[in-house]
Amino acid sequence: MTDIDTVQDTRRPSADESSGGHDPVPAIVDWLLGILTGIVGLALVVVGVNIYTRVDQATIAEAVADDSVQLNGFTESEFVTAAGSFTDWLAAGIFVTGIVCLLVAAAFVVARRHTRRRVAQAGGTTATFWASVAYGGVVTALVSFIPGSAIAGGATAAYLHNGDSNARTGAVSGLASTGLTVPLVVFIAIGFTAGGTAVGRLADSAFLAAFILVAELIALAINTCLGALGGFLAARLF
């Protein structure tokens, strides 16, 4: 046997090694994340249903009767009408966001189980691109009280994925961390428009709705850029 053959044999993984893989995150973490996201989703669904079924114009009128409520240029009847329409859309937005969280939680757990079974049989890594993005998004959410938290999430995602596109991994992680808020923001914007239309103030309400949507787009862009920065830094530091 030549030296070349010897090198080739030592580089070839054994049968035992081929069944293993790079697994930086324990399987229990997948379950914990899925359960936590599911609990949040279920809570949002319950809140949305309660708001829709329990808050009506009569309830709002009682609240408006309190002298501490500021109507900001609306008459009492206008405020009650506009708030009634807005509340319905707000409840729908919270409900839909909860459903999205439940679906994401279920899809994540199922996908991770499939990935781990595949890696156990054929080798490779459980730290796939989308799994790393999800982990990074969770880190961003956990430290969201810190300015620039998406940097930590993006760095985590890039570090776990350990691929060539670290900035891209971090960027998608930053985008994902804010993505779940999009349905709620959209429904809130619709709610403002519907409320304004109900009292003949479409222009004002449309401006406010546009402002909210633009603010959400800016937040998405900022977190995407910060996540990309985190991925870039992870590639240089680790």
Side-chain angles (χ1 to χ4, degrees), residues 174-210:
L175 179 64
S177 67
T178 315
L180 287 178
T181 65
V182 171
L184 178 58
V185 172
V186 169
F187 274 87
I188 288 176
I190 295 174
F192 276 120
T193 304
T197 301
V199 295
R201 298 196 179 189
L202 175 59
D204 293 338
S205 61
F207 174 80
L208 184 57

Side-chain angles (χ1 to χ4, degrees), residues 46-71:
V46 172
V47 170
V49 171
N50 281 335
I51 291 176
Y52 186 80
T53 57
R54 296 187 180 184
V55 179
D56 54 15
Q57 291 192 1
T59 306
I60 298 172
E62 292 178 4
V64 170
D66 187 347
D67 293 337
S68 63
V69 175
Q70 301 295 324
L71 301 183

Side-chain angles (χ1 to χ4, degrees), residues 3-205:
D3 292 339
I4 295 178
D5 293 333
T6 302
V7 173
Q8 289 176 339
D9 288 341
T10 58
R11 289 182 177 178
R12 185 181 299 115
S14 64
D16 292 338
E17 292 173 343
S18 63
S19 62
H22 179 53
D23 187 14
V25 180
I28 186 64
V29 175
D30 295 340
W31 284 103
L32 290 175
L33 293 183
I35 292 172
L36 179 61
T37 305
I39 291 174
V40 172
L42 184 60
L44 290 174
V45 168
V46 172
V47 170
V49 171
N50 281 335
I51 291 176
Y52 186 80
T53 57
R54 296 187 180 184
V55 179
D56 54 15
Q57 291 192 1
T59 306
I60 298 172
E62 292 178 4
V64 170
D66 187 347
D67 293 337
S68 63
V69 175
Q70 301 295 324
L71 301 183
N72 294 324
F74 286 89
T75 65
E76 183 174 321
S77 60
E78 286 178 338
F79 185 86
V80 170
T81 300
S85 298
F86 171 78
T87 301
D88 288 342
W89 283 101
L90 174 64
I94 295 173
F95 178 84
V96 170
T97 302
I99 293 297
V100 171
C101 287
L102 289 172
L103 293 176
V104 169
F108 177 77
V109 171
V110 170
R112 295 305 292 154
R113 291 187 64 188
H114 174 75
T115 298
R116 291 185 184 279
R117 284 197 299 266
R118 175 180 56 78
V119 170
Q121 295 173 357
T125 176
T126 60
T128 62
F129 175 81
W130 288 111
S132 300
V133 164
Y135 295 137
V138 170
V139 170
T140 299
L142 290 176
V143 298
S144 58
F145 57 91
I146 301 176
S149 58
I151 296 177
T156 301
Y159 175 77
L160 291 175
H161 184 52
N162 196 26
D164 296 331
S165 303
N166 295 287
R168 182 172 70 93
T169 305
V172 178
S173 174
L175 179 64
S177 67
T178 315
L180 287 178
T181 65
V182 171
L184 178 58
V185 172
V186 169
F187 274 87
I188 288 176
I190 295 174
F192 276 120
T193 304
T197 301
V199 295
R201 298 196 179 189
L202 175 59
D204 293 338
S205 61

